[in-house]
Amino acid sequence: MKRGRNRKLAAAAVLAMALPAAGAFAAEDMTMKDMADMADMTEMPAMKDMGSVPLRKTAEMLGYVVHWDAAANTVTLTYQGMESSLKGKIVVLTLSNGIITVNGENRMEKYDVTVDEGVTHVAPRLIDDVLRPSM
């Protein structure tokens, strides 16, 4: 009798540990855009204290579609997320000089841009200044 109870307790313990792990594996199937759609961008912490961030992953997480144009050496970011103040926003970054155009208007400020093993990294200040909603 006691032996059967111990087996049931052991089985319940194993099941209790396995359920959270199943949820974690299911979360891996979510895209960056899915996670961004669930988050309120105005409550995300500022990134200015970080070194550099990967542009594609960060922009996609914030709800942008990213397009690389090798001939023009530009990255075009088009906002497709849920934040109404950003609807239709198009950002073009020229990698060779760090110049940014937002909705057709050149920004006066230049940002540090590096490419490492095919991944474009930008200054976190660019994310805060250009891609996120104005506070």
Coordinates of all heavy atoms in Angstrom, one line a residue, residues 44-55 57-58 61-62 112 121-128 132:
M44 N 9.3 48.7 -22.7 CA 10.6 48.0 -22.8 C 11.7 48.9 -22.3 O 11.6 50.1 -22.5 CB 10.8 47.6 -24.3 CG 9.9 46.6 -24.8 SD 10.1 46.2 -26.5 CE 11.7 45.5 -26.6
P45 N 12.7 48.4 -21.6 CA 13.8 49.2 -21.1 C 14.6 49.8 -22.2 O 14.7 49.3 -23.3 CB 14.6 48.3 -20.3 CG 14.3 46.9 -20.8 CD 12.9 47.0 -21.3
A46 N 15.2 51.0 -22.0 CA 16.0 51.6 -23.0 C 17.3 50.8 -23.2 O 17.7 50.1 -22.3 CB 16.4 53.0 -22.5
M47 N 17.8 50.8 -24.4 CA 18.9 50.0 -24.7 C 20.3 50.7 -24.7 O 21.3 50.1 -25.0 CB 18.7 49.4 -26.1 CG 17.4 48.6 -26.3 SD 17.2 48.0 -27.9 CE 17.7 46.3 -27.6
K48 N 20.3 52.0 -24.3 CA 21.5 52.8 -24.4 C 22.7 52.3 -23.6 O 23.8 52.6 -23.9 CB 21.1 54.2 -24.0 CG 20.7 54.4 -22.6 CD 20.3 55.8 -22.4 CE 19.7 55.9 -21.0 NZ 18.8 57.1 -20.8
D49 N 22.4 51.5 -22.6 CA 23.6 51.0 -21.8 C 24.2 49.7 -22.4 O 25.2 49.2 -21.8 CB 23.1 50.7 -20.4 CG 22.7 52.0 -19.7 OD1 23.2 53.1 -20.0 OD2 21.8 52.0 -18.8
M50 N 23.7 49.2 -23.5 CA 24.2 48.0 -24.1 C 25.3 48.4 -25.1 O 25.3 49.5 -25.5 CB 23.1 47.2 -24.8 CG 22.0 46.8 -23.9 SD 20.6 46.0 -24.7 CE 21.3 44.5 -25.2
G51 N 26.2 47.5 -25.4 CA 27.3 47.8 -26.4 C 26.8 48.0 -27.8 O 26.7 49.1 -28.3
S52 N 26.4 46.9 -28.4 CA 25.8 47.0 -29.8 C 24.8 45.9 -29.8 O 24.8 44.9 -29.1 CB 26.8 46.9 -30.9 OG 27.3 45.6 -30.9
V53 N 23.8 46.1 -30.7 CA 22.7 45.1 -30.8 C 22.6 44.6 -32.3 O 22.8 45.4 -33.2 CB 21.4 45.6 -30.3 CG1 21.5 45.9 -28.8 CG2 21.0 46.9 -31.1
P54 N 22.2 43.4 -32.5 CA 22.0 42.9 -33.9 C 20.7 43.6 -34.4 O 19.6 43.5 -33.8 CB 21.8 41.4 -33.8 CG 21.4 41.2 -32.3 CD 22.0 42.3 -31.5
L55 N 20.9 44.3 -35.6 CA 19.8 45.1 -36.1 C 18.6 44.2 -36.5 O 17.4 44.5 -36.1 CB 20.3 45.9 -37.3 CG 19.2 46.7 -38.0 CD1 18.6 47.7 -37.0 CD2 19.8 47.4 -39.2
K57 N 17.4 41.1 -35.7 CA 16.7 40.5 -34.6 C 16.0 41.5 -33.7 O 14.8 41.3 -33.3 CB 17.6 39.7 -33.7 CG 18.0 38.4 -34.3 CD 18.9 37.5 -33.4 CE 19.2 36.2 -34.0 NZ 20.0 35.3 -33.2
T58 N 16.7 42.6 -33.5 CA 16.1 43.7 -32.6 C 14.9 44.3 -33.3 O 13.8 44.5 -32.8 CB 17.1 44.7 -32.2 OG1 18.2 44.0 -31.6 CG2 16.5 45.7 -31.2
M61 N 11.9 42.0 -33.5 CA 11.3 41.9 -32.2 C 10.4 43.1 -32.0 O 9.4 43.0 -31.3 CB 12.4 41.8 -31.1 CG 11.8 41.6 -29.8 SD 13.0 41.4 -28.5 CE 13.7 43.0 -28.4
L62 N 10.7 44.3 -32.5 CA 10.0 45.5 -32.3 C 8.8 45.6 -33.3 O 8.1 46.5 -33.3 CB 10.9 46.7 -32.4 CG 11.9 46.8 -31.3 CD1 12.8 48.0 -31.5 CD2 11.1 47.0 -29.9
D112 N 26.8 54.5 -35.2 CA 27.8 53.5 -35.5 C 27.1 52.2 -36.0 O 26.1 51.8 -35.4 CB 28.5 53.2 -34.2 CG 29.3 54.4 -33.7 OD1 29.8 55.2 -34.5 OD2 29.6 54.5 -32.5
H121 N 25.3 45.1 -36.8 CA 25.1 45.5 -35.4 C 25.1 47.0 -35.4 O 25.8 47.7 -36.2 CB 26.3 45.0 -34.5 CG 26.3 43.6 -34.4 ND1 25.7 43.0 -33.3 CD2 26.9 42.6 -35.1 CE1 25.9 41.6 -33.4 NE2 26.6 41.4 -34.5
V122 N 24.2 47.6 -34.6 CA 24.1 49.0 -34.5 C 24.2 49.5 -33.1 O 24.0 48.7 -32.1 CB 22.7 49.5 -35.1 CG1 22.6 49.2 -36.6 CG2 21.5 48.9 -34.3
A123 N 24.4 50.8 -32.9 CA 24.4 51.4 -31.6 C 23.0 51.3 -31.0 O 22.0 51.6 -31.7 CB 24.9 52.8 -31.7
P124 N 22.9 50.9 -29.8 CA 21.6 50.8 -29.1 C 20.8 52.2 -29.2 O 19.6 52.2 -29.2 CB 21.9 50.4 -27.7 CG 23.2 49.7 -27.8 CD 23.9 50.4 -28.9
R125 N 21.6 53.2 -29.2 CA 21.0 54.6 -29.3 C 20.1 54.7 -30.6 O 19.1 55.3 -30.6 CB 22.1 55.6 -29.3 CG 21.7 57.0 -29.2 CD 23.0 57.9 -29.0 NE 24.0 57.7 -29.9 CZ 24.1 58.3 -31.1 NH1 23.2 59.2 -31.4 NH2 25.1 58.0 -31.9
L126 N 20.5 54.0 -31.7 CA 19.7 54.0 -32.9 C 18.4 53.4 -32.7 O 17.3 53.9 -33.1 CB 20.5 53.3 -34.0 CG 19.8 53.2 -35.4 CD1 20.8 53.2 -36.5 CD2 18.9 52.1 -35.5
I127 N 18.3 52.3 -32.0 CA 17.1 51.6 -31.7 C 16.2 52.6 -30.8 O 15.0 52.7 -31.2 CB 17.3 50.3 -30.9 CG1 18.2 49.4 -31.7 CG2 16.0 49.6 -30.6 CD1 17.8 48.9 -33.0
D128 N 16.7 53.1 -29.8 CA 16.0 54.0 -28.9 C 15.5 55.3 -29.7 O 14.4 55.7 -29.5 CB 16.8 54.4 -27.7 CG 16.9 53.3 -26.7 OD1 16.1 52.4 -26.7 OD2 17.9 53.3 -25.9
R132 N 11.9 53.0 -31.9 CA 10.8 52.9 -30.9 C 9.9 54.1 -31.0 O 10.3 55.2 -31.5 CB 11.5 52.8 -29.5 CG 12.3 51.4 -29.4 CD 13.1 51.4 -28.2 NE 12.2 51.1 -27.1 CZ 12.7 50.8 -25.9 NH1 13.9 50.6 -25.7 NH2 11.8 50.6 -24.9

